[in-house]
Amino acid sequence: MKGLLVKDFILVKNQCKTLLAFLVLGFLMSMSMKDNAGVVYMVMIISMFSLSTIGYDEFDNGFRFLFTLPASRKAYVREKYLFYIIFLFVGLVAGCGVGFLAEMFKDTGSVQNYFDTLGESVVGSIMIGSVYAGMLIPIRIKYDAEKAKLVNFGVFGGIAAIAYLIFRLKDNAGEVVVKIMETINGLSDIQIASAMIAFAVIVLLISELIAEKIIAKKEYN
Amino acid sequence: MLEVNGIVKKYNNFTLSCNLKVESGRITGIIGPNGAGKSTLFNAVLGLIRIDEGEIKLFGKNIKSLTDSERENIGVVLSESGFSGYLKVGDVGTMLKAFYKDFDEADFKKKLTDFKLDPGKKVKELSTGMKAKLHVIAALSHKAKLLILDEPTAGLDVIAREEVIDMLRQYMEEDDSRTIVISSHISSDLENLCDDFYMINDGEIIIHEETDNLLSNYAILKVDKDKFDELDKKYLVRYKEESYGYMCLTNERQFYMDNYPDTVIERSGIDELIGLMIRGKEL
């Protein structure tokens, strides 16, 4: 696992110019957007950046050689999730820092709004990012980059369709959805945040188990 | 050191089916034409593909149960696969240091200098030959007990090939329990290096022979049609029609030298052996 982590840190280090560009873009977005949307953007971009290492591993049939090194396939999968979590925290720190700086430069004269919405931005980006990573990692391990793009498109299209159906159901006074919404509305902020974080953790755990099963069946010719 | 016991790997239009045993302290060559199954055999030995039948043992253990620590004793060079192109040459050393307890950083850096490999260059920017050198250097860098080398000299010029072969010899001299399994389409590289050979064709081992025996006892007989009819064919392995008559492969050179002194008998190199074994007919 140590070797895999070192490899991934080196790969990210070698792409640091791209990462720096994302930071600048995040700063500009934070300057121009309300309610810490720039923070969410930063967290998402930086944490997802960690997963680009799968593409670097795959480059030029690289998986074949990588799996001859002293690291099991299971370790490879686990390392990818660990690396994602590390970068999720890096993204949180960078996002909050850049967001705060941007807020200082704004003409609002106060950073109060930044602190008012920071909590929900952080928890929201952890949940959205983790759900996205939870779907993306198994897909990338199963398919090459090109196929994965198509599968991603299909999966997220499917999710959008389901979300649309749920909202249509709500408009039509679907009792279950209304009850769920009422329950959520009745929860405190801490309870909602805890539930969102727990959901993110569960998604990542299930995703990791699926990715392990996928990689165990893969053949590298 | 390495045992391949009755493995079978089936694809739609190809089946690998073979047995192989590599003793400790030896250099074993795997030869055969393109598409014969050499890389599939390496993939199976390295656990990169699942086998349908049989068992592969490394260091006396089924490869499926090897620990990371035991896998540190294997150094690998693969054809058409290697370190990520997005790593720099110098990064490879940093990475290997994290993977292998016995990684010799000083020696690795020295060899990079010797082979004029720029540590600041990305792997994807290297030529095929330079990549091959990097992979060989990396495989030798952590005192592995077993080297599995699939076409390690591919893309190298004559001088660089000699340097690589010399490195492998030196590597074996440092510890006589070390073992190498190597494939190459350049037979001269192997003739001067290997202790024994397995020849593979259509997924099956068709010859296993000691190099000394191969070079001293195998020979090519060139005969016209009348002479061919007269020949005692019990030691002919393969024959092939030629414009002048027949080219025959024997594994008992002395027998034909003693009994047919006026026959053209030439020593068989690996290339001739492969050529006749694949394209020749069985008697």
Side-chain angles (χ1 to χ4, degrees), chain B residues 33 62 78 104 119 124 206 219 283:
Chain B
N62 189 307
L78 294 177
D104 189 338
K124 65 177 176 176
I206 53 173
L283 283 153

Side-chain angles (χ1 to χ4, degrees), chain B residues 167-233:
Chain B
M167 268 204 294
L168 295 179
R169 279 204 191 91
Q170 191 187 338
Y171 176 82
M172 291 296 285
E173 282 163 13
E174 285 168 11
D175 182 344
D176 57 14
S177 69
R178 286 176 175 172
T179 309
I180 298 177
V181 181
I182 182 171
S183 80
S184 173
H185 67 281
I186 302 161
S187 56
S188 58
D189 287 350
L190 300 184
E191 270 180 19
N192 300 321
L193 183 73
C194 295
D195 298 305
D196 63 330
F197 286 94
Y198 281 88
M199 185 173 164
I200 186 166
N201 186 43
D202 281 339
E204 290 184 359
I205 304 286
I206 53 173
I207 286 185
H208 175 218
E209 199 64 84
E210 295 291 311
T211 308
D212 290 344
N213 190 28
L214 192 147
L215 296 178
S216 59
N217 293 339
Y218 279 73
I220 305 284
L221 279 62
K222 292 179 176 172
V223 292
D224 59 24
K225 194 175 178 313
D226 293 340
K227 191 86 180 173
F228 182 74
D229 292 338
E230 280 174 27
L231 274 181
D232 182 343
K233 299 181 180 67

Side-chain angles (χ1 to χ4, degrees), chain B residues 11-278:
Chain B
Y11 292 100
N12 288 339
N13 51 0
F14 176 79
T15 300
L16 175 76
S17 168
C18 62
N19 290 286
L20 185 135
K21 192 170 184 183
V22 178
E23 301 289 348
S24 179
R26 291 173 70 85
I27 305 179
T28 297
I30 310 288
I31 55 172
N34 290 339
K38 302 189 294 288
S39 291
T40 306
L41 175 62
F42 281 108
N43 286 342
V45 167
L46 291 164
L48 295 168
I49 55 173
R50 286 187 307 278
I51 50 172
D52 300 315
E53 290 172 34
E55 184 188 41
I56 300 171
K57 283 183 175 179
L58 261 178
F59 313 123
K61 279 177 79 173
N62 189 307
I63 52 162
K64 289 178 190 164
S65 55
L66 286 180
T67 62
D68 286 352
S69 173
E70 285 161 334
R71 290 175 73 93
E72 285 188 38
N73 289 316
I74 311 170
V76 177
V77 174
L78 294 177
S79 58
E80 294 169 10
S81 180
F83 295 107
S84 170
Y86 290 88
L87 290 169
K88 289 177 184 169
V89 171
D91 294 334
V92 169
T94 313
M95 183 182 132
L96 292 173
K97 195 176 174 182
F99 269 109
Y100 297 97
K101 285 191 289 288
D102 291 331
F103 176 66
D104 189 338
E105 193 174 9
D107 188 55
F108 180 78
K109 283 182 177 171
K110 184 184 172 297
K111 283 184 176 138
L112 289 187
T113 311
D114 291 346
F115 279 95
K116 298 183 175 60
L117 281 157
D118 178 1
K121 215 170 190 183
K122 281 192 177 166
V123 172
K124 65 177 176 176
E125 294 164 357
L126 299 176
S127 65
T128 310
M130 292 304 243
K131 268 187 210 168
K133 286 179 194 176
L134 175 65
H135 290 130
V136 172
I137 292 169
L140 298 176
S141 68
H142 50 88
K143 300 180 175 64
K145 288 181 184 163
L146 171 67
L147 293 183
I148 296 177
L149 313 173
D150 188 11
E151 297 284 354
T153 55
L156 297 178
D157 58 38
V158 181
I159 305 294
R161 270 187 6 236
E162 278 176 9
E163 285 172 332
V164 166
I165 298 294
D166 283 346
M167 268 204 294
L168 295 179
R169 279 204 191 91
Q170 191 187 338
Y171 176 82
M172 291 296 285
E173 282 163 13
E174 285 168 11
D175 182 344
D176 57 14
S177 69
R178 286 176 175 172
T179 309
I180 298 177
V181 181
I182 182 171
S183 80
S184 173
H185 67 281
I186 302 161
S187 56
S188 58
D189 287 350
L190 300 184
E191 270 180 19
N192 300 321
L193 183 73
C194 295
D195 298 305
D196 63 330
F197 286 94
Y198 281 88
M199 185 173 164
I200 186 166
N201 186 43
D202 281 339
E204 290 184 359
I205 304 286
I206 53 173
I207 286 185
H208 175 218
E209 199 64 84
E210 295 291 311
T211 308
D212 290 344
N213 190 28
L214 192 147
L215 296 178
S216 59
N217 293 339
Y218 279 73
I220 305 284
L221 279 62
K222 292 179 176 172
V223 292
D224 59 24
K225 194 175 178 313
D226 293 340
K227 191 86 180 173
F228 182 74
D229 292 338
E230 280 174 27
L231 274 181
D232 182 343
K233 299 181 180 67
K234 65 181 170 189
Y235 297 118
L236 293 185
V237 182
R238 293 282 195 281
Y239 74 99
K240 186 170 158 271
E241 276 187 67
E242 295 288 346
S243 54
Y244 54 80
Y246 292 92
M247 182 190 275
C248 310
L249 177 73
T250 176
N251 56 2
E252 287 293 342
R253 176 171 154 266
Q254 199 58 47
F255 172 81
Y256 290 100
M257 286 182 70
D258 293 344
N259 296 292
Y260 303 92
D262 55 340
T263 302
V264 177
I265 300 175
E266 297 170 353
R267 283 186 189 274
S268 157
I270 288 176
D271 284 334
E272 293 82 4
L273 177 76
I274 293 175
L276 266 171
M277 286 302 294
I278 304 303

Side-chain angles (χ1 to χ4, degrees), chain A residues 1 4 13 61 65 72 94 113 137 153 181 185 189 215:
Chain A
M1 175 90 69
L4 292 169
K13 181 204 78 181
N61 199 20
F65 179 73
S72 66
N113 181 54
I137 297 175
F153 186 74
M181 297 303 279
N185 287 336
D189 288 351
I215 206 163

